[in-house]
Every structure is written in C-alpha cells, then in structure tokens.
Amino acid sequence: MGLITENIQIKNLGTIITGGTPPTKKREFYGDVLPLIKPTDMSLGQRYIGTTEESLSDLGVERFKNKLVPKNTPCVVTIGTIGKSCLTKETSLVNQAVNCVVVDSNKYDYMYVYYLMQLTIPKVKAKDSGTASGRENVSKSSFETIEVAPVKNINEQKKLGKVLSAYDELIENNNRRIAILEDMAQSLYREWFVKFRFPRHQNTKFKESSLGLIPEGWGIGKLGDLTSKIGSGATPRGGKGAYKTEGIPLIRSMNIYDSTFITKGLAFIDDDQALKLQNVTVQAKDVLLNITGASVARCAIVPTAFTPARVNQHVAIIRVGGSDISPEYILHTLISTVGKARLLNIAQGGATREAITKLHIENFEILIPPSGLHANFENLASNTSLEKEVLFLKNENLKKQRDMLLPKLITGKVKVD
C-alpha cells in the first residue's frame, strides 16, 4: 500500500522567490561574499553548484537582501532552458530566470522537494508562455500555482529523499574523480605545452613563431593539415518532430561541455534519418566542437559507448588522420586557457552571431611538439580518458536506476522502511 499524499500548489511548499541580477555596469555590487547563481552555472542533473561565474559584494548583498535564499533551497530555471535545477550550497542570490522554493521545514523535507521538482519539470514546461525571442518563459505566478502531490508525512519524505540522494552522492563522488583526472591531464598540458616546463627543458632555446616564442625544434601546424575530416553536422528533416526516445544518438551543442559529454537532453533519431545524415557520423575519438551560439568553443570527445552518432549543424567534427597528432592532444589544446581564448576571439569576430566556420577550424594553428614528448602526453591522456569513461558509464547506470525509482518514490507508491 502506498503512502498518503496531498494535493497542493508549489507555493504551499514554502516561500517562492524569483531572483534578480545586479546591473553589470555597477561593479560595486560584485565581489566574493555570496554566490550569484545563473542558469549557465547549472548543469543538467547536477544537484549542487560548484564555483559560480559571478558573486556579490557586501553592497550587493545589502541591495538584494530580500531576494537571498538560504542553504539547501531547491531552484528551478523558468526562463530559457527549463529543466535545469539545483540546490544552493549556501545563502545565495539567483538571477531573474530562476524561481526558488524556500521550503517550509516544519512540513516538508528540502531534499524530497528537490526531487519533487524534478518530477514536476514537464508541468513547468507546459506553462511556457514563450517570448518574442522564442525562449521558454514561465512567470512566477504560473510557477507557484502548479499543482503537486507530495507525500504528507515529513518523516516519510526524509526517507524517500535519502534513498534518491544516495544515488546522487555516488554520482557526485565519481564526478569528483573525473574532475581530478581532467585536471591532471590539463595540468600536464599546461606545464609542457604552455609553460614549456617539459622533462629536461632547462637548456631549451626558443624561436619566434606565429604563436609567439616556442622551443627550437618544435613546429606549428594547421588543423586542416593534421586531420582527415573537419565538418559540421545537420538537423534531420522534421526538426524536433524527428526526435525519438531511442535509436541513433543525435548530439547537439547542449550535450557538449569542455571535456565532458552530457547525456541529459540527448536526442535520438531512427535508422532512416540516420542514413540521411551518414556523412556527419561521429566515430570513436572524434573531437567535437560547438561552433555557434552561447556555448561556442566548448569541446569534448564522446565516450565510445555513444558512437556511432550524428551531430547537428551547431557542432563540428574534427577527426585525426594524416599526422601523428592525437585526438587527446587536439582536445586539450582547444580547451586550454590559451586555445579557448583564441577560439572565442575567432567566434566573436563575426559580423552577426558568434560562430566558428569550417575555414576557421582548418586554419587554426596548433603547436607541434617533438614526437617523443607528444607520445608521452598521449599515453597519459589516453589512460586518463579511459578511466574517465569507466566512471562516466557507472554514472549513467546510476542515473538510470535513480530516474526509474524517482517517480515511484516521490509519488509515495513505494514505501521505504
């Protein structure tokens, strides 16, 4: 027998607060006192935010004190990318695209409410009134009147939330291990190929190049000469109407983060659509680069388990071939601080929206180190990539188990002893 639930509106769970953003020109509101959480700081499926792009000063905290939300407040994006959500790690300000549920702790458990919000996302999307720019938009008044049916007993809520939280804790632990592995590879790249502190570098002489001073004996090459394929994808006919719940993965810019592949929101197409997009097939070890929009210049290698796949027109495929340069080396070059800055400079130099063209990628110059040094880096980076993929696939399995349990637990259909 299931648990007793009650039919209420979101506003009955606590106090609903819509965030705000200090004017960017008034830098006196910005500092390092409290985080300012924006949708771009959130990652789909991630509970707690790490470092935010912006934070408030003492003056900013005073100016927005009525909009601050406490630690462990569930937050839901209601303008732009509806579906993103998080829990606050500490007292925070969220921006105006986010609605927060400051939970009534006498009646409801904050962790249970966080997962209740995950279950409610389709209802939030259904309230979309749209904007002139086509962005999803749900007002506070619409959000807070959405009907939900939480389990009534707070002690039962805590048990249910704890079960789901255990899955996310395992996922977060694996993500921390993945982040350490990524940092190891990036730190090594930075030491050897940016700071030039590679093994036995002490007596190195330097020469001028198009990329500045580089060690003698090193070269400069264009990606077009070092790869076998550079090209962007395409959208299947029918647009979103062609997307399926399973089939061949269609990778979009929302799935690509620096050195990270996000499966939440991954689209699928059937065999017929995939056949029509055969010329934009993603193979194992292809480097994928976002080439338009707000996510321009983000770059990753997709785990082998998700290939072969297809990409849409916002993502470019960079395939190694015709040289000894490895995909890991290309990836870490593009996501390094120096490489990222160069890509963004190219993207922002366009006449209209931010964009990187095929010609830009082909002419993008990279440093070519001695083969022995490259081989040593490739060996470490490849091993790191394999370890990351194992952890990634473990997380995908944990997410499936959690998502299968979530509706049964949150609706009270399954009781936890």
Side-chain angles (χ1 to χ4, degrees):
M1 185 176 177
L3 298 169
I4 297 172
T5 60
E6 57 180 342
N7 295 316
I8 61 171
Q9 295 180 337
I10 285 179
K11 64 183 178 183
N12 301 125
L13 295 167
T15 303
I16 311 303
I17 294 179
T18 303
T21 303
T24 54
K25 291 182 179 179
K26 293 194 174 183
R27 298 313 297 175
E28 64 268 25
F29 288 141
Y30 293 86
D32 58 3
V33 178
L34 289 180
L36 167 62
I37 300 174
K38 298 182 286 187
T40 50
D41 295 315
M42 302 182 191
S43 295
L44 289 168
Q46 179 179 323
R47 287 190 303 176
Y48 289 100
I49 302 295
T51 303
T52 56
E53 184 182 0
E54 299 273 17
S55 297
L56 300 180
S57 64
D58 286 323
L59 195 63
V61 170
E62 176 61 27
R63 170 66 177 80
F64 288 89
K65 62 184 178 182
N66 294 329
K67 288 185 175 291
L68 298 180
V69 295
K71 177 182 178 180
N72 290 324
T73 295
C75 307
V76 180
V77 176
T78 52
I79 298 176
T81 310
I82 294 177
K84 281 187 174 183
S85 61
C86 72
L87 280 168
T88 54
K89 263 186 175 179
E90 57 185 299
T91 301
S92 306
L93 174 69
V94 299
N95 82 353
Q96 67 276 11
V98 183
N99 276 293
C100 304
V101 184
V102 181
V103 177
D104 181 350
S105 58
N106 293 317
K107 295 181 180 179
Y108 303 102
D109 174 60
Y110 73 88
M111 192 64 73
Y112 175 86
V113 172
Y114 168 77
Y115 289 112
L116 177 64
M117 290 299 98
Q118 310 309 301
L119 199 61
T120 310
I121 292 300
K123 288 186 177 181
V124 179
K125 284 181 171 286
K127 292 282 187 177
D128 173 29
S129 61
T131 63
S133 63
R135 300 173 71 207
E136 293 178 309
N137 184 9
V138 176
S139 66
K140 176 186 176 183
S141 58
S142 293
F143 174 77
E144 65 183 8
T145 56
I146 292 172
E147 293 186 353
V148 290
V151 168
K152 197 167 184 178
N153 186 293
I154 189 171
N155 292 322
E156 295 294 346
Q157 292 172 22
K158 289 179 179 178
K159 292 178 185 177
L160 298 168
K162 191 174 181 180
V163 171
L164 294 168
S165 183
Y167 282 94
D168 274 320
E169 285 169 7
L170 289 172
I171 292 168
E172 287 158 4
N173 284 338
N174 286 339
N175 281 337
R176 281 190 283 271
R177 293 169 65 188
I178 289 171
I180 290 170
L181 290 167
E182 288 177 351
D183 188 60
M184 285 171 54
Q186 262 298 299
S187 294
L188 186 65
Y189 178 90
R190 188 165 52 249
E191 282 294 300
W192 288 5
F193 308 117
V194 177
K195 297 179 179 179
F196 301 122
R197 294 201 290 242
F198 45 85
R200 296 178 296 280
H201 70 280
Q202 288 80 1
N203 298 319
T204 300
K205 293 182 179 180
F206 290 81
K207 64 180 181 180
E208 289 287 350
S209 78
S210 55
L211 295 178
L213 286 174
I214 64 172
E216 288 187 355
W218 295 37
I220 302 293
K222 293 182 178 181
L223 282 179
D225 299 325
L226 301 170
T227 56
S228 61
K229 178 183 177 70
I230 292 176
S232 58
T235 296
R237 289 188 178 181
K240 290 185 178 180
Y243 297 165
K244 311 297 179 184
T245 55
E246 57 183 23
I248 307 296
L250 177 69
I251 298 169
R252 298 174 287 172
S253 57
M254 66 185 293
N255 304 119
I256 302 297
Y257 285 74
D258 280 342
S259 197
T260 304
F261 178 59
I262 303 295
T263 56
K264 189 158 186 177
L266 185 64
F268 296 90
I269 54 178
D270 60 27
D271 290 343
D272 288 341
Q273 291 282 7
L275 187 61
K276 294 171 185 175
L277 299 179
Q278 195 162 1
N279 62 325
V280 293
T281 299
V282 178
Q283 299 178 4
K285 293 292 185 179
D286 279 350
V287 177
L288 302 186
L289 176 68
N290 287 355
I291 55 176
T292 61
S295 65
V296 69
R298 292 200 308 227
C299 190
I301 294 176
V302 175
T304 305
F306 290 85
T307 58
R310 306 294 186 268
V311 293
N312 75 357
Q313 73 274 20
H314 303 298
V315 183
I317 297 171
I318 302 173
R319 183 171 300 153
V320 298
S323 73
D324 293 329
I325 295 297
S326 67
E328 284 82 9
Y329 181 80
I330 290 176
L331 171 69
H332 286 284
T333 297
L334 297 180
I335 66 174
S336 68
T337 303
V338 175
K340 175 72 70 178
R342 290 173 56 211
L343 284 172
L344 289 174
N345 186 54
I346 291 169
Q348 291 162 1
T352 53
R353 62 183 303 198
E354 295 179 327
I356 299 171
T357 67
K358 179 182 178 182
L359 186 61
H360 287 146
I361 302 171
E362 289 175 340
N363 288 328
F364 191 87
E365 292 182 324
I366 69 169
L367 193 62
I368 302 178
S371 58
L373 190 62
H374 172 272
N376 287 340
F377 176 80
E378 195 274 336
N379 183 54
L380 181 139
S382 292
N383 289 336
T384 298
S385 183
L386 287 173
E387 290 182 60
K388 283 170 49 183
E389 187 158 339
V390 169
L391 292 168
F392 174 88
L393 293 175
K394 283 183 179 179
N395 275 356
E396 289 305 298
N397 187 44
L398 287 167
K399 289 174 186 177
K400 286 179 182 178
Q401 293 178 47
R402 178 201 62 197
D403 292 346
M404 181 179 65
L405 280 174
L406 192 148
K408 296 177 182 178
L409 291 174
I410 295 303
T411 58
K413 291 179 180 177
V414 175
K415 186 176 181 180
V416 177
D417 295 324

